[in-house]
Amino acid sequence: MGRVSSLTKRIRENLDLPEDVYNFDVCHLESSMSFLVKRFMSVDVTQRELHEISAEISRIKVQFELCLLSRDIRSLETELGEPSLRTMTEVREKMSSGKRIKEEILNEMLRSLANIRKTSPELNPLTLEEKQEIVSAIGLSKGHWFKCPQGHIYCIGECGGAMERSKYPECEAVIGGERHMLVEGNTLAFEMDGAHYPAWSEQANMRNYGFQ
């Protein structure tokens, strides 16, 4: 029942969700979850009921994740690509059809919604602790972290100056650069390590020679 308690906790943490987002009533959802949990723990619950309860929990979880995703897209004014928009539309239509949905299909919906967050970093930001762990693990000085036009984070080793181009695997945006110049649209990810300028830059060079 770990996923039930985890979902219930997230519901309580997000009671400020606007009611117009996917016509979703969080209080009703929490009430439904409580009923399912009580029935699940009942001594006379049948195997068939257990299966139906599990499927219903998955359905509620999809509905809740769709609600959260819609809210975040609105509040962050995120522009999704056509594939992501199509995925959300398909999930919304299936969920509002009133038809019974198999649990494996519901789980696939959850994976699809999670993938939208994965491909849109602003919808799935790193926590401060996660940033610190990553920076510490890589062990580079300040100014080596950058982000692509879509907001995906990457680092440049050695001197910190871009010397080759590549593509970010998740969004296929061009990253890096040539001759210590970043490709257009790529910027310093100051939020990773607090750097004010790239490790290879005029500012860094002036500081190295004592001009700052």
Side-chain angles (χ1 to χ4, degrees):
M1 294 303 292
R3 63 173 176 165
V4 175
S5 59
S6 176
L7 179 56
T8 303
K9 179 181 178 182
R10 291 188 67 191
I11 293 170
R12 293 196 180 99
E13 291 174 346
N14 289 276
L15 289 178
D16 61 337
L17 288 171
E19 293 185 2
D20 63 330
V21 177
Y22 190 48
N23 193 26
F24 187 72
D25 187 337
V26 177
C27 294
H28 175 70
L29 185 150
E30 187 169 21
S31 176
S32 298
M33 286 295 296
S34 297
F35 171 79
L36 290 173
V37 171
K38 290 179 181 178
R39 187 55 190 157
F40 184 90
M41 301 300 292
S42 175
V43 294
D44 62 342
V45 64
T46 65
Q47 191 65 34
R48 179 177 179 179
E49 282 183 301
L50 286 175
H51 179 75
E52 292 177 348
I53 289 172
S54 180
E56 181 63 12
I57 290 173
S58 294
R59 187 192 68 79
I60 291 175
K61 192 170 183 179
V62 170
Q63 199 171 19
F64 184 61
E65 291 295 343
L66 183 60
C67 177
L68 283 181
L69 186 58
S70 298
R71 182 202 63 175
D72 291 345
I73 290 171
R74 287 188 178 188
S75 62
L76 297 172
E77 298 182 350
T78 302
E79 294 185 7
L80 297 181
E82 185 59 34
S84 295
L85 290 173
R86 185 165 56 251
T87 294
M88 290 189 67
T89 298
E90 291 173 353
V91 171
R92 187 175 289 111
E93 289 177 349
K94 289 179 180 178
M95 294 296 292
S96 60
S97 67
K99 298 179 180 179
R100 183 184 295 273
I101 305 174
K102 293 182 179 180
E103 188 170 7
E104 53 266 31
I105 296 178
L106 290 167
N107 290 333
E108 180 59 34
M109 289 181 184
L110 280 173
R111 287 191 289 270
S112 297
L113 295 177
N115 190 56
I116 292 176
R117 287 191 180 276
K118 184 178 179 181
T119 55
S120 302
E122 64 271 27
L123 297 175
N124 191 30
L126 294 171
T127 65
L128 177 60
E129 291 74 18
E130 288 172 332
K131 293 175 184 176
Q132 292 174 340
E133 289 178 3
I134 293 172
V135 171
S136 176
I138 299 300
L140 295 172
S141 58
K142 286 187 176 183
H144 285 259
W145 295 92
F146 303 89
K147 53 188 174 184
C148 77
Q150 302 300 321
H152 292 108
I153 303 294
Y154 66 95
C155 67
I156 297 178
E158 298 182 356
C159 67
M163 293 299 291
E164 60 179 289
R165 298 187 180 199
S166 184
K167 285 188 177 182
Y168 201 91
E170 292 178 2
C171 65
E172 296 191 346
V174 178
I175 59 175
E178 298 173 337
R179 300 178 181 176
H180 298 110
M181 296 290 292
L182 287 173
V183 174
E184 184 178 358
N186 286 246
T187 57
L188 177 70
F190 61 86
E191 65 270 26
M192 286 296 292
D193 58 7
H196 296 292
Y197 39 77
W200 180 278
S201 62
E202 289 298 326
Q203 296 95 323
N205 290 337
M206 290 177 68
R207 183 174 182 179
N208 289 337
Y209 286 100
F211 292 114
Q212 286 188 346

PDB file of all heavy atoms in Angstrom, residues 143-168:
ATOM      1  N   GLY A 143      31.242  27.470 -13.053  1.00  0.00           N
ATOM      2  CA  GLY A 143      31.227  27.968 -14.423  1.00  0.00           C
ATOM      3  C   GLY A 143      31.298  26.907 -15.504  1.00  0.00           C
ATOM      4  O   GLY A 143      31.432  27.233 -16.687  1.00  0.00           O
ATOM      5  N   HIS A 144      31.188  25.641 -15.119  1.00  0.00           N
ATOM      6  CA  HIS A 144      31.264  24.557 -16.104  1.00  0.00           C
ATOM      7  C   HIS A 144      29.886  24.019 -16.494  1.00  0.00           C
ATOM      8  O   HIS A 144      29.799  23.117 -17.321  1.00  0.00           O
ATOM      9  CB  HIS A 144      32.106  23.399 -15.552  1.00  0.00           C
ATOM     10  CG  HIS A 144      33.578  23.673 -15.544  1.00  0.00           C
ATOM     11  ND1 HIS A 144      34.437  23.173 -16.497  1.00  0.00           N
ATOM     12  CD2 HIS A 144      34.337  24.408 -14.699  1.00  0.00           C
ATOM     13  CE1 HIS A 144      35.672  23.573 -16.237  1.00  0.00           C
ATOM     14  NE2 HIS A 144      35.638  24.326 -15.144  1.00  0.00           N
ATOM     15  N   TRP A 145      28.836  24.569 -15.899  1.00  0.00           N
ATOM     16  CA  TRP A 145      27.493  24.030 -16.134  1.00  0.00           C
ATOM     17  C   TRP A 145      26.703  24.942 -17.065  1.00  0.00           C
ATOM     18  O   TRP A 145      26.667  26.153 -16.892  1.00  0.00           O
ATOM     19  CB  TRP A 145      26.753  23.858 -14.804  1.00  0.00           C
ATOM     20  CG  TRP A 145      27.410  22.823 -13.941  1.00  0.00           C
ATOM     21  CD1 TRP A 145      28.367  23.033 -12.997  1.00  0.00           C
ATOM     22  CD2 TRP A 145      27.172  21.417 -13.963  1.00  0.00           C
ATOM     23  NE1 TRP A 145      28.750  21.842 -12.428  1.00  0.00           N
ATOM     24  CE2 TRP A 145      28.032  20.837 -12.997  1.00  0.00           C
ATOM     25  CE3 TRP A 145      26.323  20.587 -14.692  1.00  0.00           C
ATOM     26  CZ2 TRP A 145      28.055  19.461 -12.756  1.00  0.00           C
ATOM     27  CZ3 TRP A 145      26.342  19.220 -14.452  1.00  0.00           C
ATOM     28  CH2 TRP A 145      27.201  18.673 -13.494  1.00  0.00           C
ATOM     29  N   PHE A 146      26.046  24.320 -18.037  1.00  0.00           N
ATOM     30  CA  PHE A 146      25.292  25.068 -19.038  1.00  0.00           C
ATOM     31  C   PHE A 146      23.945  24.393 -19.280  1.00  0.00           C
ATOM     32  O   PHE A 146      23.691  23.292 -18.792  1.00  0.00           O
ATOM     33  CB  PHE A 146      26.088  25.151 -20.348  1.00  0.00           C
ATOM     34  CG  PHE A 146      27.442  25.773 -20.183  1.00  0.00           C
ATOM     35  CD1 PHE A 146      28.552  24.987 -19.857  1.00  0.00           C
ATOM     36  CD2 PHE A 146      27.612  27.135 -20.324  1.00  0.00           C
ATOM     37  CE1 PHE A 146      29.808  25.562 -19.681  1.00  0.00           C
ATOM     38  CE2 PHE A 146      28.865  27.720 -20.151  1.00  0.00           C
ATOM     39  CZ  PHE A 146      29.959  26.931 -19.827  1.00  0.00           C
ATOM     40  N   LYS A 147      23.090  25.057 -20.037  1.00  0.00           N
ATOM     41  CA  LYS A 147      21.797  24.455 -20.369  1.00  0.00           C
ATOM     42  C   LYS A 147      21.437  24.754 -21.814  1.00  0.00           C
ATOM     43  O   LYS A 147      21.788  25.809 -22.356  1.00  0.00           O
ATOM     44  CB  LYS A 147      20.698  24.939 -19.426  1.00  0.00           C
ATOM     45  CG  LYS A 147      20.562  26.444 -19.288  1.00  0.00           C
ATOM     46  CD  LYS A 147      19.576  26.775 -18.179  1.00  0.00           C
ATOM     47  CE  LYS A 147      19.528  28.277 -17.908  1.00  0.00           C
ATOM     48  NZ  LYS A 147      18.645  28.609 -16.774  1.00  0.00           N
ATOM     49  N   CYS A 148      20.744  23.805 -22.416  1.00  0.00           N
ATOM     50  CA  CYS A 148      20.332  23.932 -23.810  1.00  0.00           C
ATOM     51  C   CYS A 148      19.113  24.851 -23.901  1.00  0.00           C
ATOM     52  O   CYS A 148      18.558  25.253 -22.873  1.00  0.00           O
ATOM     53  CB  CYS A 148      20.014  22.551 -24.386  1.00  0.00           C
ATOM     54  SG  CYS A 148      18.408  21.881 -23.865  1.00  0.00           S
ATOM     55  N   PRO A 149      18.648  25.196 -25.093  1.00  0.00           N
ATOM     56  CA  PRO A 149      17.481  26.074 -25.227  1.00  0.00           C
ATOM     57  C   PRO A 149      16.227  25.536 -24.554  1.00  0.00           C
ATOM     58  O   PRO A 149      15.329  26.302 -24.202  1.00  0.00           O
ATOM     59  CB  PRO A 149      17.293  26.164 -26.752  1.00  0.00           C
ATOM     60  CG  PRO A 149      18.660  25.947 -27.309  1.00  0.00           C
ATOM     61  CD  PRO A 149      19.280  24.923 -26.411  1.00  0.00           C
ATOM     62  N   GLN A 150      16.171  24.205 -24.354  1.00  0.00           N
ATOM     63  CA  GLN A 150      15.009  23.604 -23.705  1.00  0.00           C
ATOM     64  C   GLN A 150      15.161  23.541 -22.190  1.00  0.00           C
ATOM     65  O   GLN A 150      14.244  23.112 -21.487  1.00  0.00           O
ATOM     66  CB  GLN A 150      14.782  22.188 -24.252  1.00  0.00           C
ATOM     67  CG  GLN A 150      14.585  22.125 -25.754  1.00  0.00           C
ATOM     68  CD  GLN A 150      13.396  22.936 -26.216  1.00  0.00           C
ATOM     69  OE1 GLN A 150      12.356  22.957 -25.564  1.00  0.00           O
ATOM     70  NE2 GLN A 150      13.539  23.617 -27.339  1.00  0.00           N
ATOM     71  N   GLY A 151      16.325  23.957 -21.688  1.00  0.00           N
ATOM     72  CA  GLY A 151      16.543  23.978 -20.247  1.00  0.00           C
ATOM     73  C   GLY A 151      17.242  22.762 -19.678  1.00  0.00           C
ATOM     74  O   GLY A 151      17.428  22.662 -18.466  1.00  0.00           O
ATOM     75  N   HIS A 152      17.653  21.812 -20.526  1.00  0.00           N
ATOM     76  CA  HIS A 152      18.367  20.633 -20.036  1.00  0.00           C
ATOM     77  C   HIS A 152      19.799  21.009 -19.649  1.00  0.00           C
ATOM     78  O   HIS A 152      20.480  21.727 -20.378  1.00  0.00           O
ATOM     79  CB  HIS A 152      18.388  19.532 -21.101  1.00  0.00           C
ATOM     80  CG  HIS A 152      17.042  18.931 -21.364  1.00  0.00           C
ATOM     81  ND1 HIS A 152      16.339  19.161 -22.527  1.00  0.00           N
ATOM     82  CD2 HIS A 152      16.269  18.116 -20.600  1.00  0.00           C
ATOM     83  CE1 HIS A 152      15.192  18.506 -22.476  1.00  0.00           C
ATOM     84  NE2 HIS A 152      15.121  17.874 -21.320  1.00  0.00           N
ATOM     85  N   ILE A 153      20.229  20.493 -18.506  1.00  0.00           N
ATOM     86  CA  ILE A 153      21.540  20.831 -17.956  1.00  0.00           C
ATOM     87  C   ILE A 153      22.626  19.890 -18.476  1.00  0.00           C
ATOM     88  O   ILE A 153      22.419  18.688 -18.599  1.00  0.00           O
ATOM     89  CB  ILE A 153      21.509  20.758 -16.416  1.00  0.00           C
ATOM     90  CG1 ILE A 153      20.421  21.683 -15.852  1.00  0.00           C
ATOM     91  CG2 ILE A 153      22.870  21.114 -15.831  1.00  0.00           C
ATOM     92  CD1 ILE A 153      20.669  23.151 -16.076  1.00  0.00           C
ATOM     93  N   TYR A 154      23.793  20.452 -18.773  1.00  0.00           N
ATOM     94  CA  TYR A 154      24.960  19.642 -19.122  1.00  0.00           C
ATOM     95  C   TYR A 154      26.214  20.382 -18.668  1.00  0.00           C
ATOM     96  O   TYR A 154      26.148  21.561 -18.296  1.00  0.00           O
ATOM     97  CB  TYR A 154      25.013  19.363 -20.631  1.00  0.00           C
ATOM     98  CG  TYR A 154      25.231  20.581 -21.501  1.00  0.00           C
ATOM     99  CD1 TYR A 154      26.512  20.947 -21.924  1.00  0.00           C
ATOM    100  CD2 TYR A 154      24.160  21.366 -21.925  1.00  0.00           C
ATOM    101  CE1 TYR A 154      26.718  22.055 -22.733  1.00  0.00           C
ATOM    102  CE2 TYR A 154      24.357  22.472 -22.733  1.00  0.00           C
ATOM    103  CZ  TYR A 154      25.634  22.819 -23.137  1.00  0.00           C
ATOM    104  OH  TYR A 154      25.839  23.921 -23.936  1.00  0.00           O
ATOM    105  N   CYS A 155      27.336  19.697 -18.657  1.00  0.00           N
ATOM    106  CA  CYS A 155      28.575  20.349 -18.234  1.00  0.00           C
ATOM    107  C   CYS A 155      29.651  20.197 -19.302  1.00  0.00           C
ATOM    108  O   CYS A 155      29.603  19.289 -20.131  1.00  0.00           O
ATOM    109  CB  CYS A 155      29.072  19.779 -16.902  1.00  0.00           C
ATOM    110  SG  CYS A 155      29.619  18.061 -16.973  1.00  0.00           S
ATOM    111  N   ILE A 156      30.607  21.116 -19.276  1.00  0.00           N
ATOM    112  CA  ILE A 156      31.761  21.077 -20.172  1.00  0.00           C
ATOM    113  C   ILE A 156      32.999  20.950 -19.299  1.00  0.00           C
ATOM    114  O   ILE A 156      33.232  21.778 -18.417  1.00  0.00           O
ATOM    115  CB  ILE A 156      31.846  22.347 -21.036  1.00  0.00           C
ATOM    116  CG1 ILE A 156      30.618  22.445 -21.942  1.00  0.00           C
ATOM    117  CG2 ILE A 156      33.126  22.337 -21.872  1.00  0.00           C
ATOM    118  CD1 ILE A 156      30.580  23.697 -22.802  1.00  0.00           C
ATOM    119  N   GLY A 157      33.777  19.906 -19.512  1.00  0.00           N
ATOM    120  CA  GLY A 157      34.945  19.646 -18.680  1.00  0.00           C
ATOM    121  C   GLY A 157      36.169  20.442 -19.083  1.00  0.00           C
ATOM    122  O   GLY A 157      36.081  21.426 -19.819  1.00  0.00           O
ATOM    123  N   GLU A 158      37.320  20.007 -18.610  1.00  0.00           N
ATOM    124  CA  GLU A 158      38.611  20.644 -18.877  1.00  0.00           C
ATOM    125  C   GLU A 158      38.560  22.142 -18.572  1.00  0.00           C
ATOM    126  O   GLU A 158      38.258  22.537 -17.466  1.00  0.00           O
ATOM    127  CB  GLU A 158      39.033  20.361 -20.318  1.00  0.00           C
ATOM    128  CG  GLU A 158      39.222  18.864 -20.589  1.00  0.00           C
ATOM    129  CD  GLU A 158      39.685  18.575 -21.995  1.00  0.00           C
ATOM    130  OE1 GLU A 158      39.801  19.515 -22.805  1.00  0.00           O
ATOM    131  OE2 GLU A 158      39.928  17.389 -22.287  1.00  0.00           O
ATOM    132  N   CYS A 159      38.805  22.998 -19.567  1.00  0.00           N
ATOM    133  CA  CYS A 159      38.849  24.438 -19.302  1.00  0.00           C
ATOM    134  C   CYS A 159      37.464  25.053 -19.156  1.00  0.00           C
ATOM    135  O   CYS A 159      37.325  26.187 -18.700  1.00  0.00           O
ATOM    136  CB  CYS A 159      39.612  25.159 -20.409  1.00  0.00           C
ATOM    137  SG  CYS A 159      38.772  25.121 -22.016  1.00  0.00           S
ATOM    138  N   GLY A 160      36.440  24.322 -19.561  1.00  0.00           N
ATOM    139  CA  GLY A 160      35.080  24.847 -19.471  1.00  0.00           C
ATOM    140  C   GLY A 160      34.619  25.570 -20.714  1.00  0.00           C
ATOM    141  O   GLY A 160      33.479  26.031 -20.789  1.00  0.00           O
ATOM    142  N   GLY A 161      35.504  25.674 -21.711  1.00  0.00           N
ATOM    143  CA  GLY A 161      35.135  26.329 -22.960  1.00  0.00           C
ATOM    144  C   GLY A 161      34.619  25.323 -23.976  1.00  0.00           C
ATOM    145  O   GLY A 161      35.154  24.223 -24.103  1.00  0.00           O
ATOM    146  N   ALA A 162      33.576  25.700 -24.692  1.00  0.00           N
ATOM    147  CA  ALA A 162      32.967  24.794 -25.676  1.00  0.00           C
ATOM    148  C   ALA A 162      33.891  24.600 -26.870  1.00  0.00           C
ATOM    149  O   ALA A 162      34.323  25.567 -27.494  1.00  0.00           O
ATOM    150  CB  ALA A 162      31.631  25.363 -26.137  1.00  0.00           C
ATOM    151  N   MET A 163      34.187  23.343 -27.190  1.00  0.00           N
ATOM    152  CA  MET A 163      35.077  23.034 -28.310  1.00  0.00           C
ATOM    153  C   MET A 163      34.444  22.081 -29.323  1.00  0.00           C
ATOM    154  O   MET A 163      35.023  21.809 -30.364  1.00  0.00           O
ATOM    155  CB  MET A 163      36.386  22.431 -27.783  1.00  0.00           C
ATOM    156  CG  MET A 163      37.237  23.407 -26.983  1.00  0.00           C
ATOM    157  SD  MET A 163      37.750  24.837 -27.964  1.00  0.00           S
ATOM    158  CE  MET A 163      38.902  24.060 -29.095  1.00  0.00           C
ATOM    159  N   GLU A 164      33.285  21.557 -29.028  1.00  0.00           N
ATOM    160  CA  GLU A 164      32.602  20.684 -29.973  1.00  0.00           C
ATOM    161  C   GLU A 164      31.100  20.725 -29.742  1.00  0.00           C
ATOM    162  O   GLU A 164      30.630  21.032 -28.649  1.00  0.00           O
ATOM    163  CB  GLU A 164      33.096  19.244 -29.846  1.00  0.00           C
ATOM    164  CG  GLU A 164      32.882  18.613 -28.482  1.00  0.00           C
ATOM    165  CD  GLU A 164      33.385  17.179 -28.438  1.00  0.00           C
ATOM    166  OE1 GLU A 164      32.738  16.320 -29.062  1.00  0.00           O
ATOM    167  OE2 GLU A 164      34.427  16.938 -27.803  1.00  0.00           O
ATOM    168  N   ARG A 165      30.379  20.431 -30.806  1.00  0.00           N
ATOM    169  CA  ARG A 165      28.923  20.421 -30.733  1.00  0.00           C
ATOM    170  C   ARG A 165      28.413  18.997 -30.548  1.00  0.00           C
ATOM    171  O   ARG A 165      29.054  18.038 -30.941  1.00  0.00           O
ATOM    172  CB  ARG A 165      28.311  21.001 -32.010  1.00  0.00           C
ATOM    173  CG  ARG A 165      28.661  22.453 -32.274  1.00  0.00           C
ATOM    174  CD  ARG A 165      27.867  22.966 -33.447  1.00  0.00           C
ATOM    175  NE  ARG A 165      28.177  24.361 -33.745  1.00  0.00           N
ATOM    176  CZ  ARG A 165      27.389  25.150 -34.471  1.00  0.00           C
ATOM    177  NH1 ARG A 165      26.260  24.673 -34.982  1.00  0.00           N
ATOM    178  NH2 ARG A 165      27.723  26.405 -34.700  1.00  0.00           N
ATOM    179  N   SER A 166      27.242  18.918 -29.961  1.00  0.00           N
ATOM    180  CA  SER A 166      26.589  17.622 -29.802  1.00  0.00           C
ATOM    181  C   SER A 166      25.087  17.874 -29.736  1.00  0.00           C
ATOM    182  O   SER A 166      24.634  19.004 -29.925  1.00  0.00           O
ATOM    183  CB  SER A 166      27.088  16.933 -28.526  1.00  0.00           C
ATOM    184  OG  SER A 166      26.521  15.640 -28.406  1.00  0.00           O
ATOM    185  N   LYS A 167      24.327  16.826 -29.489  1.00  0.00           N
ATOM    186  CA  LYS A 167      22.883  16.962 -29.329  1.00  0.00           C
ATOM    187  C   LYS A 167      22.467  16.381 -27.991  1.00  0.00           C
ATOM    188  O   LYS A 167      22.928  15.306 -27.607  1.00  0.00           O
ATOM    189  CB  LYS A 167      22.129  16.248 -30.459  1.00  0.00           C
ATOM    190  CG  LYS A 167      22.149  16.981 -31.782  1.00  0.00           C
ATOM    191  CD  LYS A 167      21.218  16.305 -32.785  1.00  0.00           C
ATOM    192  CE  LYS A 167      21.167  17.079 -34.089  1.00  0.00           C
ATOM    193  NZ  LYS A 167      20.221  16.444 -35.061  1.00  0.00           N
ATOM    194  N   TYR A 168      21.598  17.107 -27.299  1.00  0.00           N
ATOM    195  CA  TYR A 168      21.099  16.575 -26.040  1.00  0.00           C
ATOM    196  C   TYR A 168      20.178  15.407 -26.368  1.00  0.00           C
ATOM    197  O   TYR A 168      19.274  15.537 -27.196  1.00  0.00           O
ATOM    198  CB  TYR A 168      20.340  17.649 -25.252  1.00  0.00           C
ATOM    199  CG  TYR A 168      20.260  17.321 -23.782  1.00  0.00           C
ATOM    200  CD1 TYR A 168      21.230  17.773 -22.904  1.00  0.00           C
ATOM    201  CD2 TYR A 168      19.238  16.518 -23.282  1.00  0.00           C
ATOM    202  CE1 TYR A 168      21.187  17.455 -21.557  1.00  0.00           C
ATOM    203  CE2 TYR A 168      19.189  16.189 -21.935  1.00  0.00           C
ATOM    204  CZ  TYR A 168      20.160  16.663 -21.081  1.00  0.00           C
ATOM    205  OH  TYR A 168      20.120  16.339 -19.750  1.00  0.00           O
TER     206      TYR A 168
END
